Amino acid sequence: MRRVKRALPLVAVVLALGVSLSGCGNESGARGGDHVSAGASSGVGSGRQEEQGQEKGKGKDQRMDMQEAAERADAMLDAVLKGIDPDVRWAHGPTTTRACGVTRRRAVMTVVSPERRQTFLDRAETFWRQNDYRIKAVNKDEKFPAVYAVTRSGFGVSVSFRGKGQAFLEADTPCVKESKVAAPASEPNGPAYEGVYPLPRPDVRSDFWSGEGDEGR
């Protein structure tokens, strides 16, 4: 009986030790889970940092500066003017800059009659559609019609008729790296009107664009 009594405390000690070890195993497993969570948390942290980095430069193309964007805008205006047939006389309008973008302008010096204005816009729109621009809006106003398009890279371009029926072309760049912007390098196909603002009204007549009727549409 005495041996049994002595064995009982020993069994109790072993059982207690087993419970203790089992508890350590569970804690270790929990820590392993915590380690995975920490890894996931670390991943989320990296994602947040990336989001913060994107937010810091939100909407800004860091691969291009304002001068490069202005040159691309010039090329876009050159291209659409070449796509309008018969060709028209044009001159550079003022360049304006904003916090991170540029607007280039052209003024058409050819008289475009009211009967030809929609044809003029149609030819610009056709050129843009053929070159994978997206037509953003079309204004069918009788006196001041306009068409607006955008590129996949975020450039906006438009042709609009304003006072005295003069056509204007504009190209807006997306937000890019800040830099100095030089004057356009493209040579106008008529007088440059350097330092003249506002530009003169259209004074060049065209057999087609200044004519009446809708022949040749």
Side-chain angles (χ1 to χ4, degrees):
M1 291 295 292
R2 288 178 182 176
R3 289 180 181 175
V4 173
K5 289 180 180 179
R6 288 176 182 174
L8 285 174
L10 181 60
V11 171
V13 170
V14 170
L15 288 173
L17 182 60
V19 170
S20 177
L21 290 172
S22 176
C24 290
N26 287 341
E27 188 175 350
S28 176
R31 284 179 180 169
D34 288 345
H35 178 69
V36 172
S37 297
S41 176
S42 176
V44 171
S46 298
R48 284 176 182 166
Q49 287 175 356
E50 189 174 327
E51 287 175 8
Q52 288 170 359
Q54 290 174 350
E55 186 69 24
K56 189 174 181 181
K58 187 176 181 181
K60 184 178 289 190
D61 187 342
Q62 298 291 345
R63 298 165 299 176
M64 182 185 302
D65 63 24
M66 291 170 70
Q67 176 59 36
E68 292 168 327
E71 290 171 2
R72 185 175 295 188
D74 290 334
M76 290 168 56
L77 295 176
D78 288 340
V80 69
L81 282 165
K82 289 178 182 176
I84 295 173
D85 183 50
D87 62 350
V88 293
R89 187 77 60 84
W90 63 270
H92 287 292
T95 293
T96 55
T97 59
R98 49 193 187 278
C100 58
V102 183
T103 299
R104 293 291 213 199
R105 296 177 176 85
R106 307 277 175 93
V108 175
M109 308 309 294
T110 298
V111 175
V112 181
S113 66
E115 294 82 3
R116 298 294 196 200
R117 290 172 192 168
Q118 191 56 55
T119 302
F120 190 92
L121 294 176
D122 289 345
R123 294 190 179 175
E125 181 177 344
T126 297
F127 172 83
W128 287 330
R129 288 187 184 279
Q130 290 174 343
N131 288 275
D132 208 25
Y133 289 66
R134 179 173 64 84
I135 302 304
K136 186 176 180 181
V138 175
N139 182 353
K140 293 285 188 179
D141 186 88
E142 188 174 336
K143 290 183 67 176
F144 306 115
V147 60
Y148 305 86
V150 293
T151 69
R152 291 182 179 180
S153 54
F155 284 76
V157 64
S158 66
V159 177
S160 60
F161 282 89
R162 303 178 192 169
K164 303 296 183 181
Q166 188 167 19
F168 292 89
L169 295 89
E170 292 188 5
D172 295 308
T173 74
C175 192
V176 293
K177 290 188 296 185
E178 187 176 358
S179 71
K180 293 182 179 180
V181 178
S186 304
E187 291 290 336
N189 59 359
Y193 299 109
E194 290 184 12
V196 176
Y197 187 79
L199 292 172
R201 295 299 186 184
D203 58 0
V204 179
R205 297 200 63 84
S206 160
D207 290 341
F208 180 80
W209 292 115
S210 309
E212 298 179 356
D214 56 3
E215 299 90 347
R217 287 188 59 152

